[in-house]
Amino acid sequence: MTIPDDSHERALISHGCKLIAGVDEVGRGPLAGPVVAAAVLFDPATLPEGLRDSKALSKKKLAALSELITANCRYAIGEATVEEIDEINILRASHVAMCRAIAALPEQPDHVLVDGNMIPKDLTIPASAIIKGDAKSVSISAAAIVAKIWRDRVMCDLAQHYPQYGWDSNAGYPSKSHKEALRDFGVTPHHRRSFKPIHNILYQE
């Protein structure tokens, strides 16, 4: 397993950057709920040990790391709503969420490290895209962990109002139980109508 390090951040610092942020989003694949992005400012004095690709960590470890990051690091959250996802598509909405997270940081960075292969077109700060960045950059890894835990909590809150869909366990992803609940109970206001499974339910012949 690749372990993220600070080589990307250090390279930027050596070229004169003073403040660097990592940004990542969570929630492109679910059928329900917002897409959430987090941005974390790089500071080796506050980033915790044990950062990994968020997909390789247990829920318990994710929660513990997220608590350390949010308690000690400068970070911010950005969201794009289901309505925005349906209006502008999930890729653009995820980029909107990233830009909102960066804009909400307590200090604006000189450079942003973005997970993925695309830089949001509305981002006015210099940026680098890093494919599988949450496994390579500590600041992106920290952002991914915070975004994941934040979004899971959003979905747990929504699950209190719509318990039959199991969002507290599936986070809105198309699990078997979620798809069965859609068939049995229909579509909620929190479902993404532009996503094919939801669209097909709404507009079936």
Side-chain angles (χ1 to χ4, degrees):
M1 180 175 60
T2 305
I3 297 175
D5 60 32
D6 62 2
S7 57
H8 291 87
E9 291 84 352
R10 294 291 181 190
L12 288 165
I13 289 168
S14 71
H15 285 89
C17 290
K18 294 181 179 177
L19 205 54
I20 298 146
V23 64
D24 200 0
E25 51 71 30
V26 173
R28 283 198 197 182
L31 302 178
V35 60
V36 174
V40 175
L41 289 168
F42 173 68
D43 182 348
T46 59
L47 283 170
E49 296 287 326
L51 293 171
R52 298 289 186 276
D53 177 346
S54 60
K55 295 178 284 298
L57 294 169
S58 67
K59 280 194 171 185
K60 185 177 179 181
K61 187 65 175 173
L62 278 168
L65 282 168
S66 179
E67 189 171 335
L68 286 170
I69 295 162
T70 54
N72 297 295
C73 300
R74 290 170 293 169
Y75 77 99
I77 299 291
E79 293 188 15
T81 64
V82 167
E83 291 78 14
E84 289 173 314
I85 292 167
D86 287 340
E87 183 178 342
I88 62 176
N89 78 47
I90 184 59
L91 176 62
R92 287 276 296 114
S94 67
H95 285 177
V96 166
M98 285 181 174
C99 289
R100 287 174 177 164
I102 294 160
L105 284 168
E107 293 180 75
Q108 286 301 279
D110 304 309
H111 198 100
V112 178
L113 296 173
V114 181
D115 182 59
N117 61 358
M118 292 177 66
I119 295 167
K121 68 177 186 179
D122 296 328
L123 187 59
T124 56
I125 297 167
S128 306
I130 303 176
I131 295 170
K132 296 185 178 177
D134 53 349
K136 297 175 182 177
S137 154
V138 287
S139 54
I140 293 177
S141 175
I145 289 165
V146 170
K148 166 94 172 97
I149 292 297
W150 188 282
R151 189 179 184 281
D152 282 354
R153 287 175 181 157
V154 168
M155 295 311 295
C156 282
D157 288 345
L158 291 177
Q160 303 303 309
H161 304 283
Y162 300 91
Q164 58 268 51
Y165 297 90
W167 293 338
D168 52 337
S169 59
N170 64 44
Y173 283 87
S175 66
K176 182 182 177 184
S177 60
H178 188 181
K179 289 187 283 188
E180 287 174 350
L182 275 166
R183 185 191 64 215
D184 295 340
F185 301 103
V187 175
T188 74
H190 300 289
H191 280 103
R192 301 172 179 180
R193 282 155 166 71
S194 58
F195 278 40
K196 192 172 181 180
I198 309 302
H199 185 274
N200 289 347
I201 290 168
L202 290 169
Y203 300 104
Q204 59 190 337
E205 297 295 329

